Amino acid sequence: MAIDKEKLMIGGLRRLLNGTARMTRRGAGRIGYYLLSHPRRLEEDPAIEVFLEDADQATLRLNDMDIHTYHWPGDGPSVLLLHGWESSTARWFALFEPLREAGYNIYALDAPAHGKSGGKKFNVFVYCEILDAYFKKIGFAQDYWIGHSGGGMAAIYYCSRPEHSFEPKRIVSMAVPGEIENFIDKFCELVGANDRVKYGIEHRLNRKLEHRFADIRFTEFVKEVTVPGLIIHDEEDDVAPFSGAQKMHKNWRGSKLVSTRGCGHSLTGDLVPAMVVEYLKQFD
């Protein structure tokens, strides 16, 4: 009988987290927070990473961290691709060709602790610090920022903060949770962690970052974003509820909301790349 290693791992995590939580919620929270802030690196998939070989690649030293960057030169406006948690630049394989055919000048980077970049810790605040250092290093910000999930969180949070001096002309937000608690809830559901574990994770978050779950709401951050944007969200997204996207649209001046069905949190298929290119072409 074949052994499902993923199920064994999840079962082990569930027993570890819930067992620890029976004795100490904060102890379980330390474990859960560590798992969330130290993402697993994906195994390379040559079948979908061929397009990366065509890029001009460089590793930049940013904030004492090696960040791997990509550039596919084009004659059109510049685009920056920002992937999410436990992902990498390779996730953009479906969007890349439509963007290149449309002539865009494409940039991307692997987030801290992801892909070919260095570092072990990851959160939206670290992502934003790296983005700011990246823009300062290259001397400009790309015209359009396209962010999926955690990458979209970083784009929105970055543009909501007055201390950041760079901004794009447009943002494309893909499958971004309305609030960080959505993401924590999905993690707890996935590993079967109980409410005592969730409490512990929030306590650890507050200790490490001085934020509660309620403080990290992208539905609120968008109120401070002056850059127009496109929100693409699947109605059946099981990580980031669609209601969050609706509230973001309501609170984000100059935003447009487009829904899909059956594309999931990853927004797979040919429909979404077509939506993105159609939206951006309006402003070229």
Side-chain angles (χ1 to χ4, degrees):
M1 182 175 65
I3 298 176
D4 190 324
K5 293 182 179 179
E6 188 76 11
K7 287 184 178 179
L8 284 175
M9 182 187 72
I10 290 175
L13 285 176
R14 180 175 62 252
R15 290 189 291 272
L16 174 62
L17 289 167
N18 292 339
T20 303
R22 282 197 293 270
M23 297 178 289
T24 165
R25 293 183 297 180
R26 294 180 181 182
R30 282 195 294 271
I31 298 170
Y33 180 82
Y34 180 90
L35 294 171
L36 288 163
S37 59
H38 292 71
R40 300 171 298 172
R41 292 183 187 267
L42 298 180
E43 294 183 6
E44 294 184 1
D45 185 346
I48 65 172
E49 294 186 4
V50 175
F51 78 99
L52 299 179
E53 298 174 359
D54 294 334
D56 295 332
Q57 301 187 35
T59 299
L60 304 180
R61 190 68 177 171
L62 305 175
N63 294 358
D64 296 322
M65 196 181 305
D66 291 331
I67 299 297
H68 200 75
T69 65
Y70 305 81
H71 180 212
W72 296 266
D75 296 328
S78 54
V79 173
L80 176 62
L81 304 176
L82 302 170
H83 68 79
W85 184 70
E86 289 197 345
S87 186
S88 72
T89 297
R91 72 96 48 217
W92 298 110
F93 70 95
L95 179 59
F96 170 73
E97 198 58 41
L99 287 174
R100 184 165 69 170
E101 289 180 355
Y104 288 104
N105 188 17
I106 308 169
Y107 294 78
L109 56 81
D110 287 334
H114 289 79
K116 296 181 179 179
S117 287
K120 295 182 179 180
K121 297 180 181 180
F122 174 80
N123 59 59
V124 67
F125 308 111
V126 170
Y127 208 159
C128 285
E129 289 170 0
I130 289 298
L131 282 178
D132 198 46
Y134 170 67
F135 298 139
K136 290 175 180 175
K137 183 78 171 182
I138 64 176
F140 70 97
Q142 288 80 2
D143 297 316
Y144 307 136
W145 300 358
I146 303 174
H148 175 259
S149 194
M153 292 183 199
I156 289 169
Y157 185 73
Y158 184 96
C159 290
S160 74
R161 302 299 300 170
E163 67 267 24
H164 295 146
S165 56
F166 295 91
E167 67 177 20
K169 296 178 180 177
R170 293 289 188 282
I171 296 172
V172 177
S173 165
M174 300 171 59
V176 171
E179 51 193 71
I180 199 69
E181 193 168 2
N182 299 149
F183 186 72
I184 305 300
D185 285 340
K186 185 60 183 179
F187 170 79
C188 290
E189 177 189 334
L190 179 65
V191 301
N194 59 37
D195 287 342
R196 290 177 64 84
V197 176
K198 181 180 175 181
Y199 168 89
I201 292 173
E202 182 170 26
H203 180 269
R204 191 64 176 173
L205 178 76
N206 190 42
R207 284 285 302 273
K208 300 292 285 186
L209 302 178
E210 298 183 346
H211 287 291
R212 295 285 186 181
F213 291 156
D215 299 329
I216 310 175
R217 294 182 174 179
F218 298 92
T219 54
E220 295 299 309
F221 295 152
V222 294
K223 292 179 178 179
E224 306 303 322
V225 175
T226 59
V227 176
L230 172 67
I231 302 168
I232 304 178
H233 212 102
D234 195 83
E235 295 176 9
E236 300 170 352
D237 191 321
D238 64 347
V239 176
F242 183 65
S243 58
Q246 292 175 308
K247 190 171 182 179
M248 284 174 59
H249 173 50
K250 179 180 178 181
N251 291 343
W252 185 354
R253 295 182 300 274
S255 69
K256 176 182 180 181
L257 173 62
V258 177
S259 64
T260 62
R261 183 178 290 273
C263 296
H265 182 66
S266 295
L267 292 173
T268 56
D270 297 331
L271 176 62
V272 172
M275 288 177 171
V276 172
V277 173
E278 181 182 6
Y279 174 77
L280 296 182
K281 292 298 287 184
Q282 301 175 64
F283 312 107
D284 293 355

